[in-house]
Amino acid sequence: MGWCRYADDTFTLSTNSESKQAGTPPRRAGWSIGSKLRAIGHCVFTASKLPLINVRHRCLRPTLPWHVLCLWRPCGLRIAVRASSSLLTFIHRVLLLSYALRLQEAIDKTAANNRLSRVKLHRGRAILSKDRKQITPSTSECLFVQGAKILNPKPPAFLRVPLDPQKEYLFPVGFLVFNSRGQDEDEAGLDWGGLYREAMNTMVDDLFDPDVLDLFIRVPNAAAHAGSNQETFVPNPKYNSPHAMQLFEFVGKLMGIAMRTRNFMPFRFPSLVWKPLVGQAVSREDLEGVDVYFYQYLTGVKESVANNLGEAYTFTVPRSDGTFVPLRTGGHRELVTVDNVNEYINLAHKWRLREFKTQMGAMLHGLSQLVPARALQILSWQELETQVCGVREVDIALMKKHTRYVVYKPTDAVVKVCCSVSCVVCRSLCSSTLLVSPTPP
């Protein structure tokens, strides 16, 4: 049940009653915190709404018992908000929102003023690198690697500046190409935000193109054509060199840029990657969501050893890239027997849950340089994904409601066809484009 008018009135009246008993000035029923929260909508991280929540928070604090004030924990905001319609949940909801709004406050307080000069990326070298199949972090010259080489050494404060109010970029971007003589020359074009957005999106696209860079690999479910999340990627476990760690750190910085500027980027990660960034523990369901055959493999090992089927197994575990690695020193020589098969299964399970610990640590380090790590603890992994990637589903009904028709009318055949096509595109690609201009929200 959502926040309705009845819940709003109940909460307001209860707050006034408790405030009167505590000796604090009551609020009139028409104050309507519920209507204000509904007006906020999905923009719960707007700093301008923080005083609204703090006013009610200060009004409630003297009246709430200690155990109620201690209920808050870093769980999913939407999960908590929709969990129940009881008065306690309403109070919990306001407290949660007050903490959540502090994420934007933390972002605003860490903003800087110094803007980078023009960043030049060589489009010609990126194309040549792809043609030569240079896909490793040490050999690739894709735009992501170029961007990491230029931006990683810069102080993080340069990436914490607000967007340019006119050109809407964090820093100006220019592209280089090869001319007819094979020399570098500037590609024609002035950056009024378009080149910047193209560069940032191309950097992220490079991460998920196996023909460009293999810093991330498709989940095992994709190779097996089974299970869920087949379109997602995980860090390549074989890359743990200092150079690779710098690239993973830059991935985290790109996430931080997306959160700070609200220019969402198309990262394609499963919950196995998002959860460690907000301090949530990775579970069996997360691992099974990317590698459904891993637990079938463990079950097969246990049955084979128990029934003495003759197949030998050692204390090694398959990584996400299919390579077997020892679980402990000498594990490739230690056989799995009936006596130690349970120990082997426990070790294998724990190892796979921590498979990307080093890479995820580098990503979190990069992200926390732009968004305070403690502020990230407020979010659930789904909310972090939304903050970085945006909402993947488009509400066509809402889009129609806020559409301003120019020349065309809603009853025109071309508009009806456009809307029907947009519905199909949204279901398949989670994006849509209408040939009419939407009115501002």
Side-chain angles (χ1 to χ4, degrees):
M1 177 180 176
W3 190 300
C4 62
R5 175 66 63 179
Y6 172 76
D8 178 20
D9 293 339
T10 303
F11 178 69
T12 303
L13 293 174
S14 176
T15 301
N16 290 339
S17 175
E18 295 291 340
S19 299
K20 186 176 181 180
Q21 295 177 13
T24 55
R27 296 285 178 178
R28 59 185 177 89
W31 188 75
S32 186
I33 188 175
S35 62
K36 297 297 183 183
L37 291 174
R38 285 194 296 272
I40 294 174
H42 293 291
C43 303
V44 295
F45 298 104
T46 304
S48 62
K49 301 301 186 297
L50 184 61
L52 166 67
I53 302 301
N54 281 340
V55 166
R56 184 51 52 111
H57 192 179
R58 289 194 299 269
C59 183
L60 285 174
R61 180 172 289 276
T63 69
L64 294 180
W66 177 84
H67 66 277
V68 173
L69 291 174
C70 294
L71 279 175
W72 183 85
R73 58 189 178 89
C75 61
L77 293 178
R78 293 186 182 90
I79 295 175
V81 166
R82 297 172 181 171
S84 172
S85 61
S86 65
L87 176 59
L88 182 59
T89 302
F90 295 153
I91 298 172
H92 194 183
R93 177 183 307 174
V94 177
L95 296 179
L96 279 173
L97 289 175
S98 69
Y99 281 98
L101 290 172
R102 296 189 184 278
L103 174 63
Q104 185 63 42
E105 184 183 31
I107 289 177
D108 293 340
K109 286 185 176 180
T110 56
N113 297 319
N114 298 327
R115 195 175 303 277
L116 286 172
S117 57
R118 193 181 190 195
V119 174
K120 291 189 175 183
L121 302 173
H122 206 301
R123 199 192 300 271
R125 290 182 181 176
I127 296 174
L128 190 60
S129 175
K130 181 177 180 180
D131 292 341
R132 292 175 176 174
K133 301 186 184 302
Q134 297 172 333
I135 63 174
T136 64
S138 59
T139 60
S140 176
E141 291 188 271
C142 65
L143 293 189
F144 170 81
V145 176
Q146 292 183 42
K149 289 180 180 179
I150 297 173
L151 298 175
N152 247 350
K154 304 291 184 181
F158 282 107
L159 302 179
R160 294 201 296 262
V161 299
L163 288 179
D164 185 281
Q166 293 181 336
K167 301 181 180 180
E168 296 186 348
Y169 57 47
L170 196 63
F171 45 80
V173 172
F175 287 103
L176 297 173
V177 294
F178 292 121
N179 59 20
S180 58
R181 296 184 298 276
Q183 299 174 339
D184 297 345
E185 70 175 17
D186 290 330
E187 185 180 72
L190 297 176
D191 189 6
W192 280 80
L195 296 181
Y196 166 79
R197 289 190 293 272
E198 178 187 356
M200 301 302 285
N201 285 325
T202 303
M203 288 183 193
V204 177
D205 289 338
D206 287 345
L207 293 173
F208 308 113
D209 188 345
D211 297 327
V212 173
L213 184 66
D214 65 348
L215 190 68
F216 292 88
I217 58 175
R218 292 188 182 274
V219 298
N221 281 351
H225 301 287
S228 57
N229 299 312
Q230 296 185 36
E231 74 286 353
T232 58
F233 288 71
V234 293
N236 195 328
K238 73 178 181 180
Y239 291 134
N240 53 15
S241 65
H243 176 61
M245 291 301 103
Q246 293 177 0
L247 296 183
F248 283 116
E249 180 180 327
F250 186 61
V251 174
K253 290 182 178 180
L254 290 180
M255 291 181 177
I257 291 174
M259 293 183 68
R260 298 187 71 93
T261 64
R262 312 303 294 171
N263 283 337
F264 303 123
M265 300 181 188
F267 288 96
R268 296 158 60 182
F269 294 137
S271 60
L272 192 71
V273 173
W274 292 111
K275 278 190 172 182
L277 297 177
V278 295
Q280 292 183 0
V282 178
S283 64
R284 169 173 176 158
E285 289 73 18
D286 300 314
L287 180 55
E288 202 165 15
V290 299
D291 193 354
V292 68
Y293 283 148
F294 173 67
Y295 289 100
Q296 296 182 18
Y297 167 78
L298 295 182
T299 301
V301 171
K302 187 172 185 177
E303 292 179 351
S304 178
V305 172
N307 298 325
N308 195 20
L309 299 181
E311 190 168 356
Y313 295 94
T314 59
F315 268 69
T316 57
V317 62
R319 296 189 312 199
S320 294
D321 60 356
T323 303
F324 280 79
V325 294
L327 290 171
R328 54 193 180 194
T329 304
H332 60 285
R333 296 188 301 269
E334 184 178 358
L335 293 177
V336 179
T337 64
V338 177
D339 297 330
N340 61 19
V341 64
N342 290 329
E343 179 188 8
Y344 166 77
I345 291 176
N346 290 333
L347 289 175
H349 176 250
K350 291 180 180 179
W351 191 94
R352 284 298 302 271
L353 290 179
R354 301 192 303 265
E355 181 179 6
F356 311 116
K357 181 180 179 180
T358 304
Q359 293 84 353
M360 294 307 307
M363 290 172 61
L364 179 58
H365 179 65
L367 176 58
S368 61
Q369 292 183 52
L370 274 70
V371 180
R374 292 185 63 182
L376 293 173
Q377 306 300 314
I378 297 172
L379 304 174
S380 69
W381 71 266
Q382 297 97 330
E383 288 156 355
L384 176 62
E385 182 182 22
T386 300
Q387 288 286 309
V388 173
C389 306
V391 179
R392 297 185 181 273
E393 296 181 359
V394 177
D395 190 334
I396 296 295
L398 185 62
M399 182 181 294
K400 291 180 180 179
K401 180 180 178 181
H402 294 282
T403 298
R404 178 171 55 89
Y405 294 89
V406 180
V407 179
Y408 295 102
K409 295 182 296 184
T411 56
D412 289 343
V414 64
V415 174
K416 293 181 179 180
V417 172
C418 180
C419 290
S420 62
V421 171
S422 297
C423 291
V424 175
V425 172
C426 284
R427 284 193 293 267
S428 59
L429 300 178
C430 296
S431 63
S432 65
T433 302
L434 289 179
L435 299 177
V436 288
S437 59
T439 57

